[in-house]
Amino acid sequence: MTSKLYLGVYGSLRRGMQAARMMEREGLMYIGAGYISAKLYDLGWYPGIQLSNDPTAITQVDVYEVAHEDELNHLHRYEGYEPTKPERSLFILRRGIPLLDGDKSIRANDVRVVMCYEYNFGNSRNVHPKHALVRDGNWPRHVSERDSRKAVAG
């Protein structure tokens, strides 16, 4: 028997965001919300994470159950991930990321690790200075606040 796979999404695929419907179309089942140890960056039109051992680096994720690995093929294209050439990919699928905590449904389903698409910062692993750190690790809230500031300034 194979163990279940779980995908944690932190950006435009989170519930309430513009691309979230893609998760249902791909047949992925929403399990709940949780947190991973990662720094979340605003890259402009989309976010990127950098996995971290820093205990203050927390990113909120929505967790989906992946019944079959094939269900990820469309998401690989959406994320710019090439499984055969990860070094050339915009995002890289990382497996075995510990889930730090989660809501009741996460605990009830005994979800302990997830897969996430980590932004490919290249060999240097350095973040460009123009990429703002999203300190609270919550992309939907960040986008809402960012867009509100732009509307007021505009």
Side-chain angles (χ1 to χ4, degrees), residues 32-104:
Y35 298 89
I36 61 171
S37 185
K39 293 180 181 180
L40 179 66
Y41 292 95
D42 184 336
L43 305 177
W45 288 101
Y46 51 86
I49 60 167
Q50 186 175 48
L51 298 174
S52 176
N53 292 324
D54 179 349
T56 65
I58 304 295
T59 295
Q60 187 173 14
V61 295
D62 288 343
V63 178
Y64 288 83
E65 183 176 327
V66 180
H68 304 285
E69 190 90 22
D70 293 347
E71 292 175 338
L72 296 175
N73 289 336
H74 188 72
L75 292 176
H76 288 342
R77 286 189 295 281
Y78 176 78
E79 297 287 3
Y81 173 62
E82 298 181 45
T84 60
K85 299 174 187 168
E87 69 284 352
R88 293 177 46 192
S89 299
L90 183 60
F91 287 85
I92 300 171
L93 186 64
R94 302 287 188 203
R95 299 173 187 271
I97 301 168
L99 198 63
L100 303 177
D101 193 15
D103 60 26
K104 289 179 186 176

Side-chain angles (χ1 to χ4, degrees), residues 117-145:
Y117 290 96
E118 181 182 24
Y119 185 71
N120 185 0
F121 288 100
N123 292 334
S124 68
R125 303 292 294 155
N126 290 329
V127 178
H128 192 281
K130 73 175 183 176
H131 296 150
L133 178 66
V134 179
R135 296 198 186 282
D136 72 353
N138 187 321
W139 181 251
R141 181 175 24 230
H142 172 75
V143 169
S144 176
E145 291 171 358

Side-chain angles (χ1 to χ4, degrees), residues 20-39:
R21 286 186 229 139
M22 185 183 312
M23 304 303 282
E24 291 177 16
R25 281 196 311 264
E26 295 305 310
L28 303 179
M29 184 174 74
Y30 178 76
I31 301 295
Y35 298 89
I36 61 171
S37 185
K39 293 180 181 180

